């Protein structure tokens, strides 16, 4: 690590074509995901690292849409990352696959995919904006699985940057094991270098070069950093497996830098110590130090546990190991559609070696509830690539632990397992966030409906957080999204494929019921020469308790309506209930009693009595008070304690009934409530605003309740 001397980026490495590299051993690979809020500087940090190692000849621009990480049209339009992007570089003969993830909460699915593909996480925190609630939540997710982490405090060149304050905020939010390896060195008020706390040397970036010059720290610099150096050494020693080291240090023994570095690297890999590096993508500050942390301190794929796998029948198989000679097992972590190459799949290989022109099995199970039915198919890999954002560089093979790209894999979807055709496997899928914001869409014209259907299938194949639903009650095509930005990205992707569509108001699936008893007379008599139609029935309707459903009672006396036609009357009533009697919504919770009627020996028929039954129900409805019922959801909201009051007040304003609160630890509270579904259509956006992005909620249908008078909702079915 650069604590010995940061100038490790040499001209040869800067000229290397790292993006086309194919590592031959898992030990020479590092998979690192970049995590942080939108605007923290992840994408530009990636650009800086690629530029420093010669992967790109110049740094791109977010505004101009020329960065490696944000190559999609949607990302360029929104000027923020909307999808997972992979970019490899090579430093000291180590291939580092950097995974740039969106920082906006709407794209949590892409971030979760990045976490699945990575073995370590680099948390990027802006020296201007600090730590947000979403980043703290993601740190907790990594902590639960023991993922090694480091922190980069970025944007130190900004006039409002406050390194000391943000470092203190990181330590408060992430824990005391978060400690800096370097301190910023300022010249005339600007950060121009980094002081290595262990090495006692200063890396000077004042010339704006990614390759800093090195000098010994002067006496004043050493004196001002002495306290933090001692804190760092004690932090490293406390993580050491040598139990005598702390005693020796406290007794005044000078612990060698080599010993400290060895213990430091071990603690980072173990996920119990988290180094902090200061950086600026504009000036290149911290690039060399960061590259050494990535390659020397972060674990290789062989040091991480792999997800469990089963055969196609669901039986567990021998645990996978990161062995190039083991059974082939990889996972599709992202799927995009290219106009020339078709589906392009980003794959993390867990085991085995994938080569060009090899036969593989592609299988996806367990996402049927998201609109992705279980599927299995055999494919042939004709081309293998190393991805650099949207650019693909051909490679002959990819070994266990590496990340590669496959093109023209017709059946593959995000979350699928790629395995050997003769020994197919299924890797357990990662936790997918639930989409909770509905967006109703329709084709601009009848001729666009087929194009919309086909394009939706392609977009949904690459986005497991998108759920496509054709609502059986409202007949609307509803896209369940993570939020407004996610819905915009989905619609942009559809339009990029030439689909003409429009959004419409989401219709809440209401119900109708009778508020009081009523009687109905159904008369269906037609005579037009030849065989006619004749059916008369009398019914009585009475309301039942909520959730009771439908009851049909036959009280015909003397056989005035034969049994076969009694059944016909019930069919007609049920058919009309499904169509609705007032606003076009299904009728529920009633008892219909057939009390009389008439038949004709020649003209009566099944169809006639079905029509009479429907007419009788409509007449009863016209004479009664019809009540609309709205769906109520059981909602559970997880928020930080500081936001409980605001969230509960907002729920009450949405006609919600709070049923309880539970402290779940970690300064968080779970709020339980019953809320009308109509009030939850855009709640994902509202909750994010109320909780600074840190709130989470889930919902489940509970029951239907009477719609209060004066509440305006969409009251007509499409």
């Amino acid at each position: 690590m650069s604590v010995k001397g940061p100038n490790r980026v040499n001209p040869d490495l800067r000229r290397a074509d790292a993006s086309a590299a194919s590592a031959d051993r898992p030990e020479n690979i590092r998979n690192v995901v970049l995590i942080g809020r939108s605007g923290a500087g992840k994408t530009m940090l990636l650009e800086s690292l690629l530029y420093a190692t010669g992967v790109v000849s110049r740094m791109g621009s977010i505004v101009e849409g020329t960065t490696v990480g944000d190559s999609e049209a949607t990302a360029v339009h929104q000027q923020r990352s909307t999808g997972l992007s992979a970019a490899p570089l090579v430093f000291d003969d180590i291939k580092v696959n950097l995974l740039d993830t969106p920082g906006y909460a709407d794209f949590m699915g892409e971030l979760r995919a990045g976490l699945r593909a990575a073995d370590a996480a680099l948390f990027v925190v802006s020296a201007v904006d600090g730590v947000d609630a979403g980043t703290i939540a993601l740190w907790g997710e990594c902590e639960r699985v023991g993922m090694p982490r480091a922190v980069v405090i970025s944007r130190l060149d900004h006039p409002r940057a406050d390194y000391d304050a943000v470092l203190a905020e990181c330590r408060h939010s992430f824990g005391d094991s978060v400690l800096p390896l370097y301190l910023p060195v300022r010249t005339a008020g600007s950060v121009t270098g980094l002081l290595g706390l262990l090495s006692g040397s200063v890396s000077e970036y004042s010339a704006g070069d990614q390759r800093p010059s090195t000098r010994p720290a002067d006496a004043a610099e050493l004196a001002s950093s002495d306290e933090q150096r001692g804190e760092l050494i004690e932090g490293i020693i406390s993580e050491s497996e040598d139990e005598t080291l702390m005693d020796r240090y406290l007794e005044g023994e000078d612990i060698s830098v080599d010993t400290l570095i060895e213990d430091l690297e071990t603690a980072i890999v173990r996920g119990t110590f988290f180094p902090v590096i200061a950086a600026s993508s504009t000036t290149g500050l911290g690039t060399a130090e960061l590259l050494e942390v990535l390659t020397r301190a972060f674990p290789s794929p062989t040091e991480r546990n792999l997800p469990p796998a089963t055969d196609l029948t669901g039986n567990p198989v021998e645990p996978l190991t990161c062995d190039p000679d083991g059974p082939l097992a990889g996972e599709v972590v992202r799927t995009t559609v290219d106009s020339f190459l078709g589906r392009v799949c980003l794959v993390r290989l867990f085991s085995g070696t994938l080569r060009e022109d090899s036969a593989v099995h592609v299988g996806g199970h367990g996402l049927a509830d998201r609109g992705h039915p279980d599927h299995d198919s055999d494919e042939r890999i004709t081309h293998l690539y190393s991805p650099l954002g949207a650019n693909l560089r051909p490679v002959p093979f990819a070994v266990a632990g590496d990340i590669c790209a496959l093109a023209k894999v017709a059946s593959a979807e995000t979350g699928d397992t790629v395995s050997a055709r003769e020994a197919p496997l299924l890797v357990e899928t990662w936790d997918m966030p639930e989409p909770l914001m509905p967006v109703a869409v329709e084709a601009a014209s009848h001729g666009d409906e087929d194009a919309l259907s086909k394009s939706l299938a392609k977009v949904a194949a690459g986005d497991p957080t998108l759920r496509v639903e054709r609502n059986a009650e409202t007949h609307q095509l509803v896209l369940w999204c993570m939020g407004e930005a996610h819905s915009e990205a989905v619609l942009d992707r559809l339009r990029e494929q030439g689909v003409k569509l429009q959004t419409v108001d989401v219709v809440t699936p209401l119900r109708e019921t009778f508020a009081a008893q009523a009687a109905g007379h159904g008369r269906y008599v037609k005579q037009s020469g030849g065989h006619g139609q004749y059916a008369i029935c009398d019914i009585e309707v009475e309301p039942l308790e909520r959730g009771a459903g439908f009851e049909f009672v036959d009280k015909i006396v003397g056989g005035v309506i034969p049994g076969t036609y009694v059944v016909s009357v019930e069919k007609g009533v049920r058919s009309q209930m499904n169509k609705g009697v007032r606003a076009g919504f299904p009728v529920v919770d009633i008892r219909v009693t057939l009390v009389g009627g008439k038949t004709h020996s020649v003209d009566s028929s099944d169809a006639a009595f079905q029509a009479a039954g429907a007419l009788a129900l409509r007449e009863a409805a016209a004479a009664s008070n019809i009540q609309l019922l709205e769906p109520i959801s059981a909602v559970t909201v997880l928020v930080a304690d500081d936001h409980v009051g605001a969230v509960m007040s907002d729920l009450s304003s949405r006609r919600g009934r709070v049923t309880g609160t539970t402290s779940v630890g970690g300064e968080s509270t779970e709020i339980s409530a019953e809320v009308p579904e109509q009030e939850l259509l855009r709640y994902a956006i509202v909750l994010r605003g109320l909780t600074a992005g840190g709130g989470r909620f889930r919902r489940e249908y509970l029951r239907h309740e009477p719609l209060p008078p004066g509440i305006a909702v969409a009251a007509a079915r499409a």
Side-chain angles (χ1 to χ4, degrees):
M1 296 175 66
S2 58
V3 288
K4 286 187 173 181
N7 195 3
R8 302 292 295 273
V9 184
N10 58 55
D12 291 335
L13 284 175
R14 288 171 62 84
R15 291 194 294 267
D17 186 8
S19 61
S22 184
D24 58 355
R25 296 296 304 168
E27 294 83 358
N28 296 331
I29 298 172
R30 305 290 184 269
N31 296 309
V32 182
V33 59
L34 277 62
I35 299 175
R37 69 190 298 174
S38 185
K42 302 182 300 298
T43 299
M44 291 311 299
L45 180 64
L46 174 64
E47 288 289 313
S48 180
L49 293 170
L50 294 177
Y51 176 63
T53 51
V55 179
V56 296
S57 58
R58 66 182 181 88
M59 291 176 58
S61 164
I62 292 177
V63 174
E64 296 173 4
T66 55
T67 61
V68 170
D70 294 342
S71 54
E72 282 191 339
T74 304
V76 174
H77 170 68
Q78 295 191 12
Q79 294 209 346
R80 60 184 168 200
S81 300
T82 58
L84 177 66
S85 178
L89 59 82
V90 171
F91 181 78
D92 273 0
D93 297 325
I94 299 295
K95 180 182 181 182
V96 181
N97 291 311
L98 293 171
L99 297 157
D100 188 19
T101 63
Y104 201 61
D106 278 17
F107 305 104
M108 179 64 71
E110 300 285 337
L111 191 145
R112 291 270 177 85
L115 288 172
R116 178 58 164 242
D119 302 305
L122 197 62
F123 276 75
V124 183
V125 179
S126 168
V128 180
D129 302 316
V131 182
D132 68 325
T135 304
I136 295 173
L138 291 171
W139 183 275
E141 285 194 30
C142 293
E143 189 170 40
R144 282 189 289 274
V145 298
M147 177 172 279
R149 283 148 281 163
V151 178
V152 172
I153 298 180
S154 64
R155 303 180 65 194
L156 282 189
D157 56 295
H158 196 281
R160 292 192 293 108
D162 190 338
Y163 172 83
D164 294 331
V166 172
L167 174 61
E169 192 178 353
C170 288
R171 297 201 66 193
H172 172 75
S173 302
F174 303 149
D176 293 338
S177 294
V178 174
L179 288 168
L181 296 182
Y182 312 91
L183 295 181
V185 174
R186 293 175 171 83
T187 303
S190 299
V191 179
T192 58
L194 294 178
L195 167 62
L197 290 176
L198 294 183
S199 66
S201 62
V202 175
S203 308
E204 290 283 6
Y205 287 86
S206 55
D209 196 333
Q210 307 273 9
R211 297 171 295 170
S213 60
T214 305
R215 65 170 175 81
D218 60 35
E221 290 168 338
L222 290 174
S224 63
S225 64
D226 188 63
E227 180 179 346
Q228 286 174 291
R229 181 178 188 273
E231 190 174 11
L232 172 63
I233 292 174
E234 289 183 15
I236 295 172
I237 292 175
S238 67
E239 298 291 341
S240 175
E241 296 178 354
D242 185 350
E243 297 179 358
T244 69
L245 201 58
M246 181 62 77
D247 292 335
R248 288 156 49 197
Y249 173 72
L250 294 176
E251 290 171 0
E253 181 178 334
D254 188 16
I255 309 300
S256 71
V257 173
D258 287 343
T259 299
L260 292 173
I261 291 175
E262 183 178 347
D263 286 338
L264 170 65
E265 293 175 350
T266 300
I268 293 173
V269 169
R270 197 167 54 223
T272 56
F273 186 91
F274 315 104
V276 179
I277 302 99
S280 166
S281 301
T282 303
T283 65
L285 179 83
T287 304
E289 289 79 6
L290 182 54
L291 284 168
E292 291 209 357
V293 169
L294 296 178
T295 54
R296 292 188 56 179
F298 276 171
S300 73
T302 61
E303 300 172 270
R304 299 291 296 159
N305 294 327
L306 299 182
T310 67
D311 59 22
L312 296 186
T313 62
N315 295 318
V317 298
E318 193 75 19
L320 298 174
T321 59
C322 189
D323 181 3
D325 298 322
L328 180 64
E331 190 168 31
V332 178
V333 293
R334 188 160 200 250
T335 307
T336 55
V337 178
D338 184 271
S339 55
F340 297 102
L341 297 174
R343 292 191 186 184
V344 178
C345 300
L346 193 66
V347 176
R348 162 67 195 263
L349 281 178
F350 295 121
S351 175
T353 299
L354 188 59
R355 301 183 184 277
E356 286 184 302
D357 200 36
S358 57
V360 299
H361 178 86
V362 178
H365 292 200
L367 292 176
D369 59 332
R370 296 298 182 90
H372 299 266
D374 293 353
H375 56 276
D376 295 277
S377 66
D378 292 330
E379 305 265 2
R380 181 165 293 277
I381 305 303
T382 55
H383 294 92
L384 198 61
Y385 301 95
S386 174
L388 178 62
N391 297 316
L392 302 177
R393 308 294 180 89
V395 292
F397 63 88
V399 299
D402 209 348
I403 293 173
C404 62
L406 312 177
K408 297 183 179 179
V409 186
S411 63
E413 300 182 0
T414 300
D416 283 2
T417 300
V418 178
S419 56
R421 186 171 63 181
E422 62 276 8
L425 299 173
L426 291 172
V427 175
E428 183 179 87
T429 57
W430 65 87
D431 183 27
M432 308 281 188
E434 183 71 23
L436 294 167
M437 194 188 88
V439 177
V441 299
E442 60 184 29
S445 66
H446 181 72
D448 294 313
E449 290 181 355
D450 285 345
L452 174 59
S453 178
K454 292 177 182 178
S455 295
L456 260 179
K458 293 178 182 178
V459 173
D463 188 352
T465 61
L466 172 67
R467 181 159 56 88
V468 181
E469 173 191 49
R470 175 69 73 174
N471 192 293
E473 296 181 23
T474 66
H475 305 300
Q476 284 191 308
L477 179 60
V478 180
L479 310 181
W480 286 89
C481 304
M482 296 293 295
E484 196 165 33
H486 183 214
S487 68
E488 288 177 5
V490 170
L491 295 176
D492 283 349
R493 288 165 186 158
L494 290 171
R495 290 174 177 133
E496 286 168 16
Q497 297 179 41
V499 178
K500 296 179 181 179
L501 55 80
Q502 58 194 18
T503 60
V504 294
D505 290 339
V506 177
V507 177
T508 303
L510 304 181
R511 302 280 191 273
E512 299 176 5
T513 194
F514 283 66
Q517 292 184 347
H521 176 71
R523 175 185 173 84
Y524 189 75
V525 178
K526 290 187 176 181
Q527 189 68 46
S528 57
H531 190 69
Q533 298 287 344
Y534 188 97
I536 297 175
C537 66
D538 294 296
I539 63 171
E540 294 176 352
V541 183
E542 58 185 307
L544 298 177
E545 294 181 355
R546 294 283 78 80
F550 170 63
E551 294 180 15
F552 185 85
V553 179
D554 175 15
K555 284 193 175 180
I556 292 296
V557 178
V560 294
I561 298 180
T564 54
Y565 292 153
V566 170
V567 174
S568 300
V569 173
E570 181 179 356
K571 286 181 181 178
V573 169
R574 286 183 179 272
S575 176
Q576 190 62 52
M577 287 177 62
N578 185 57
K579 295 175 183 177
V581 293
R582 181 70 55 83
F585 291 98
V587 178
V588 296
D589 301 338
I590 61 172
R591 177 186 292 122
V592 174
T593 302
L594 180 61
V595 295
K598 293 181 181 180
T599 63
H600 188 279
S601 59
V602 175
D603 292 342
S604 291
S605 66
D606 170 65
F609 271 97
Q610 286 194 44
L615 287 169
L617 186 65
R618 291 205 297 269
E619 183 176 294
S624 178
N625 179 22
I626 299 301
Q627 191 173 49
L628 289 178
L629 305 175
E630 64 175 336
I632 305 297
S633 293
V635 177
T636 304
V637 188
L638 180 65
V639 297
D641 292 343
D642 293 343
H643 301 299
V644 169
V647 171
M648 291 179 66
S649 176
D650 179 74
L651 288 172
S652 297
S653 73
R654 295 175 181 278
R655 300 187 287 125
R657 295 187 294 272
V658 175
T659 58
T661 60
T662 305
S663 177
V664 294
E667 300 181 349
S668 296
T669 296
E670 194 171 76
I671 304 170
S672 300
E674 297 177 359
V675 187
E677 188 174 302
Q678 175 73 19
E679 303 289 345
L680 295 173
L681 296 179
R682 298 181 66 80
Y683 188 62
I685 301 171
V686 173
L687 180 63
R688 192 168 297 143
L690 288 172
T691 61
R696 301 287 184 270
F697 83 103
R698 60 183 184 271
R699 59 192 283 183
E700 184 179 0
Y701 169 75
L702 189 60
R703 61 180 176 271
H704 273 71
E705 289 185 356
L707 183 69
I711 299 297
V713 296
R717 290 201 292 179

